Amino acid sequence: MSPLPSSSASVLADRFARTRVQEGALVLGAALFTALLAQVALSVPGSPVPVTGQTLAVVLTAAALGPGRGVAAQAAYLLLGAVGLPFFAKGASGWGALTGPTGGFLVGFLPAAFLVGLAARHGYDRRWWTAAPLFLAGQLLVLTLGVCWLQVKAGLDFATAFQKGFLPFIPGGLLKAVVAGLLMPLAWRYLRPRAA
């Protein structure tokens, strides 16, 4: 999986963000998109962590925005939810959501956004066969950090934390990686003629 030549080292947002105001609007839009997909939540029996659309939003927005803006968007999302807006899964909010047993999954959005955004800056989001594995890797990073946090905060052994916070989310993660892996190359194909 080789990246595209360095002359094409850009992300979708580079085509729209010409001013700081436009960049801020894209970052805020990505945070709101993450909040919207957080409300698509299904409870997992025996797990404190629901299946949500959040990680789909994280990988899509990070790829579209790049590493800096992608991390800024997720930081804005976390901050807005922490101060009381009902932005987390199932309308949850507050600092307790970030510091509680499931907080590691939320905090994991930051390094995942950086990883996916950086790889997208090098063109890995433009072809489905490189985009889907990238988006899966971003989600696996979120799950790994979340499981470690869950283990510590909930006082679980690693095997139990892994069963509650990782295994149930693999099928959804694969599906979201495929969806995002198909959407981003389509977006690039659609926008390429307009940029010429």
Side-chain angles (χ1 to χ4, degrees):
M1 292 194 303
S2 62
L4 295 178
S6 60
S7 63
S8 60
S10 65
V11 292
L12 285 174
D14 294 337
R15 306 202 175 208
F16 305 103
R18 303 280 186 237
T19 67
R20 295 275 186 199
V21 171
Q22 290 171 331
E23 285 197 16
L26 289 173
V27 166
L28 181 59
L32 295 175
F33 182 61
T34 306
L36 178 67
L37 289 192
Q39 306 319 308
V40 179
L42 301 169
S43 297
V44 176
S47 174
V49 186
V51 172
T52 72
Q54 287 166 300
T55 52
L56 177 60
V58 171
V59 298
L60 281 173
T61 58
L65 298 177
R69 294 183 204 114
V71 170
Q74 294 311 313
Y77 166 71
L78 296 177
L79 181 61
L80 291 170
V83 298
L85 293 175
F87 278 10
F88 300 143
K90 299 181 179 179
S93 64
W95 290 105
L98 289 177
T99 59
T102 61
F105 296 93
L106 293 168
V107 173
F109 294 173
L110 298 170
F114 182 79
L115 168 76
V116 171
L118 186 62
R121 172 112 8 235
H122 292 284
Y124 284 97
D125 65 326
R126 298 186 191 189
R127 298 170 299 215
W128 69 265
W129 59 88
T130 56
L134 168 64
F135 297 146
L136 180 60
Q139 292 179 84
L140 292 176
L141 178 57
V142 171
L143 291 175
T144 300
L145 294 173
V147 163
C148 294
W149 191 299
L150 180 64
Q151 179 187 5
V152 171
K153 287 289 190 173
L156 302 173
D157 60 83
F158 183 77
T160 303
F162 188 78
Q163 286 179 328
K164 291 178 180 287
F166 196 97
L167 286 180
F169 305 96
I170 296 301
L174 287 168
L175 178 62
K176 288 183 269 188
V178 169
V179 168
L182 293 173
L183 287 176
M184 284 307 295
L186 281 175
W188 273 106
R189 188 172 304 134
Y190 176 73
L191 292 171
R192 188 171 290 134
R194 295 178 174 231

